[in-house]
Amino acid sequence: MARNPAAARRTRGFPYLLVLPAVLLFTAFVAAPGGYALLLSFQRRKVNGGLLGGGTHTVFAGLANYRDVLGDTELWSGVLRMLALGAFTVPATVLLALLFAVLLDLERTRLKRITRLTIFLPYAVPGVIASLMWGFLYLPATSPIGGDRVDFFGQVAVYFSVGNVAVWGAVGFNMIVIYTALRALPAELHESARLDGASEWQIVLRVKVPMVLPAVVMCGLFTVLAALQVFNEPNTLKPLSNAVSSTWVPLMKIYDDAFGNSDIYSAAATSVVLTAAALAVSFVTARIIQSRVQQEAA
Amino acid sequence: MTATAGAGPRDRTAPVPAARRPRRIAVLPTTALVLGALYCVVPTLWILIAATKSRTTLFSTDTYVPSLDLGIVHNIRDLSDYQGGIFWHWMLNSFLYAAVGGLLASFVSAATGYALAKYEFRGRGALFNTILAGVLLPQIVLAVPQYLLLSKAGMTDSMTGVLLPQLFNPYGIYLCKIYAQSAVPDSLLEAGRIDGAGEGRLFFSVGLRLMGPGLVTVFLLQFIAIWNNFLLPYVMLTSDDKFPLTVGLYSLLRHGAAEASLYSLVITGTLLSVLPVIALFLSLQRFWRIDLVTGALK
């Protein structure tokens, strides 16, 4: 990027002009709402008594909201449900995506084009619409998959019913990401392994999978972030079944606090806590990816 | 069918023979992929069958067998009559949000990514790090604070309130930066400068043009993201003539919980909302550059 001073002078303002829209948008729709949520999380509404009548005003509450949020058993049950969901949806999504990607990459597999497209398709279906479709597949009166005999909204089954929608929607995109990484591997690598007498399956496990691990970890990160924000699937299945409460997962609880109970201060504090958790997960995973990539480069 | 339906054959795939007969079809891998594809297509197929049934036969006839009494025509007519054709309004809104939002977001991402890749300027490092953190920050937990702030500005329940927050796309900026680095050679920009081209002209006629293929992917990603978005419009909008399909169909389902005859409208609406995106998706599939998503560009 060596340029002569005259050119540098000419271009001085231009890069700022290019980044201006992004900076403005970031300030208005990320930084400001984030800051505002932080501010709200330290406030609460107080009802005035006495001579002034029943008015309210906001007061500084310190960490009281956070104490309430962290001590809220309803929220913790939501967190547990979210973790229980994530505990099988994340591995199921990533492993199925890896499996399908590896199968697509095998030379002698047939019907690649059509199966690849079909598995990718749910990515274009909004989570809400996917939940509607699966909801009718679960509903006893309309179910073609045995909903009249199996209770898909039962105590334990409901987790699998909700998780299934999330996995269904996410496998295809992750499969394509891993498949693309597999296609990018140099052919000489497995050719030489094959000449050494390695079986197709050994090549997959010992050569291909280790080499696309950064892509797999990246898919894992995106899936974990999605799991932390699970909202659409349970929220859409709620009208179809009593098994899903209005505070079933943390984001539903935030929504319920903000709009159901009009307690925006609690909602803000919960948002801040959830964001902090998501950021922590992101940074740890990003670090892992980074060290992997560096290992590979070394 | 549950999340693990496609995983059945996984443990049986292991003994793929290493025989060097390239013509042979790998039966187990192909079968596993076909099962995965079936899992992904079954809900759509069922919704196609269910949409052919009238509201009276929906709950009474065999769930696998489509109705041949032109129920789908009546269903589409009923859906079009529902509240003065509001369903088509939702569909138009969805396309509007996704197309306009996708185009503007791609342009913002392109300009920012190009500036980050091709210019040295003060604050460049800080800006890039902020954007990287933005990639990891879950956008969705911002929806409630964004609503609270936009309600102060009087911008809730407006189409701009839904559109504007989605124009800042940190992931898109990140992809554009990577792509600009590899697709726009510095030497070409230098040559243009020597020929007396201004920086603005270089960006529009050299930078943007060379970034074209990558920008299509950024646009498609953002189009799908906005098309699939639920929480932001759900939080932001109260008047149903501004709803996108996701929020509209969800509200229809909620009414349907009290009035079961609306179920066939929801099912028909779901089908009509899935088909155009799938068609769009299939026709645009050759423009996807997933290698860009993984950062695996050469």
Side-chain angles (χ1 to χ4, degrees):
Chain A
M1 234 168 272
R3 258 179 277 128
N4 59 50
R9 210 172 307 128
R10 230 176 32 219
T11 64
R12 197 180 292 150
F14 190 66
Y16 293 106
L17 198 67
L18 284 178
V19 301
L20 185 68
V23 171
L24 287 180
L25 287 167
F26 173 82
T27 311
F29 299 111
V30 182
Y36 187 55
L38 206 59
L39 186 74
L40 285 173
S41 71
F42 291 114
Q43 293 177 342
R44 61 174 37 174
R45 179 162 295 157
K46 195 150 196 156
V47 181
N48 297 348
L51 296 168
L52 293 167
T56 59
H57 66 284
T58 44
V59 292
F60 180 73
L63 292 171
N65 290 328
Y66 286 95
R67 250 198 315 274
D68 291 352
V69 162
L70 294 176
D72 185 349
T73 50
E74 218 178 324
L75 179 69
W76 283 110
S77 339
V79 169
L80 283 180
R81 287 188 204 100
M82 177 192 82
L83 291 177
L85 272 175
F88 73 92
T89 56
V90 173
T93 306
V94 176
L95 288 178
L96 274 179
L98 179 62
L99 172 76
F100 290 145
V102 164
L103 297 180
L104 280 176
D105 193 50
L106 291 178
E107 210 174 303
R108 294 181 296 117
T109 313
R110 289 297 175 269
L111 302 171
K112 284 184 196 185
R113 231 181 94 79
I114 180 81
T115 51
R116 193 179 71 211
L117 256 179
T118 314
I119 298 174
F120 190 31
L121 267 186
Y123 168 64
V125 178
V128 171
I129 309 288
S131 310
L132 282 174
M133 300 206 286
W134 280 104
F136 285 109
L137 290 170
Y138 298 147
L139 210 63
T142 52
S143 175
I145 53 171
D148 46 346
R149 276 164 283 125
V150 186
D151 181 8
F152 284 105
F153 295 113
Q155 279 270 298
V156 180
V158 70
Y159 287 89
F160 291 94
S161 302
V162 171
N164 173 47
V165 184
V167 173
W168 182 82
V171 164
F173 188 77
N174 289 297
M175 173 193 77
I176 294 288
V177 167
I178 300 172
Y179 177 64
T180 311
L182 279 170
R183 299 305 289 173
L185 295 181
E188 306 93 66
L189 263 171
H190 26 105
E191 232 124 76
S192 64
R194 198 165 292 138
L195 286 177
D196 289 344
S199 74
E200 206 57 43
W201 204 242
Q202 278 171 328
I203 293 173
V204 165
L205 288 179
R206 306 247 174 93
V207 182
K208 289 183 180 174
V209 171
M211 293 211 60
V212 296
L213 216 52
V216 177
V217 176
M218 194 179 90
C219 290
L221 169 65
F222 284 140
T223 320
V224 169
L225 283 182
L228 283 171
Q229 304 173 48
V230 57
F231 176 81
N232 289 347
E233 294 87 2
N235 189 57
T236 310
L237 291 176
K238 194 181 63 173
L240 291 173
S241 155
N242 296 325
V244 180
S245 67
S246 60
T247 57
W248 208 66
V249 284
L251 217 55
M252 287 174 79
K253 165 92 168 122
I254 292 176
Y255 183 86
D256 196 56
D257 277 344
F259 300 101
N261 307 329
S262 297
D263 184 1
I264 55 173
Y265 307 99
S266 276
T270 317
S271 287
V272 171
V273 172
L274 197 64
T275 308
L279 273 179
V281 171
S282 302
F283 276 120
V284 170
T285 323
R287 271 283 149 82
I288 296 173
I289 299 181
Q290 227 166 27
S291 64
R292 281 254 167 230
V293 172
Q294 272 158 9
Q295 260 172 29
E296 222 127 276
Chain B
M1 192 180 288
T2 67
T4 51
R10 191 190 322 155
D11 36 359
R12 271 178 280 136
T13 329
V16 175
R20 328 238 330 102
R21 274 168 297 175
R23 298 252 134 215
R24 251 191 58 197
I25 296 174
V27 177
L28 281 177
T30 307
T31 314
L33 281 175
V34 169
L35 284 179
L38 276 178
Y39 166 57
C40 288
V41 83
V42 150
T44 316
L45 283 184
W46 181 81
I47 219 84
L48 196 63
I49 292 173
T52 64
K53 296 178 183 176
S54 68
R55 58 180 66 174
T56 46
T57 53
L58 176 63
F59 296 104
S60 59
T61 53
D62 197 323
T63 45
Y64 304 97
V65 186
S67 158
L68 299 170
D69 60 358
L70 291 180
I72 191 160
V73 178
H74 296 287
N75 283 338
I76 293 176
R77 201 186 303 142
D78 286 350
L79 185 65
S80 302
D81 287 344
Y82 181 74
Q83 288 192 7
I86 196 141
F87 172 80
W88 299 107
H89 221 87
W90 295 336
M91 182 149 336
L92 197 69
N93 288 344
S94 266
F95 270 105
L96 210 66
Y97 288 128
V100 175
L103 275 177
L104 291 176
S106 307
F107 183 74
V108 172
S109 299
T112 317
Y114 176 82
L116 287 170
K118 293 294 152 194
Y119 293 102
E120 300 270 11
F121 56 93
R122 274 180 68 159
R124 172 169 167 265
L127 181 65
F128 185 60
N129 287 333
T130 311
I131 286 162
L132 264 190
V135 172
L136 302 175
L137 186 78
Q139 297 290 295
I140 209 162
V141 289
L142 282 174
V144 172
Q146 277 167 347
Y147 168 81
L148 297 173
L149 203 64
L150 284 182
S151 76
K152 291 237 157 190
M155 276 168 72
T156 50
D157 198 28
S158 72
M159 292 184 95
T160 44
V162 174
L163 212 51
L164 284 178
Q166 305 192 81
L167 298 188
F168 177 74
N169 174 8
Y171 191 52
I173 295 174
Y174 173 72
L175 294 182
C176 283
K177 180 197 179 249
I178 296 178
Y179 197 67
Q181 267 167 345
S182 73
V184 186
D186 284 332
S187 55
L188 206 60
L189 296 179
E190 282 309 322
R193 285 190 186 106
I194 290 165
D195 289 347
E199 296 300 320
R201 225 186 111 203
L202 283 178
F203 169 63
F204 280 104
S205 60
V206 180
L208 272 188
R209 192 161 300 170
L210 292 176
M211 287 166 75
L215 282 180
V216 175
T217 302
V218 172
F219 170 77
L220 290 174
L221 284 171
Q222 190 66 9
F223 184 96
I224 299 253
I226 300 179
W227 180 271
N228 290 357
N229 200 347
F230 173 73
L231 190 58
L232 183 76
Y234 180 55
V235 164
M236 215 55 92
L237 299 173
T238 44
S239 27
D240 52 9
D241 61 326
K242 297 182 185 109
F243 286 175
L245 275 171
T246 48
V247 182
L249 285 174
Y250 175 75
S251 71
L252 197 56
L253 175 75
R254 259 205 327 207
H255 293 302
E259 200 184 332
S261 62
L262 285 178
Y263 275 170
S264 55
L265 291 192
V266 179
I267 288 172
T268 311
T270 304
L271 177 72
L272 293 179
S273 79
V274 168
L275 291 184
V277 232
I278 289 183
L280 189 77
F281 191 78
L282 291 180
S283 58
L284 291 178
Q285 49 148 326
R286 65 199 178 89
F287 296 107
W288 284 96
R289 297 218 41 192
I290 304 281
D291 49 343
L292 179 66
V293 178
T294 54
L297 277 164
K298 289 284 133 51

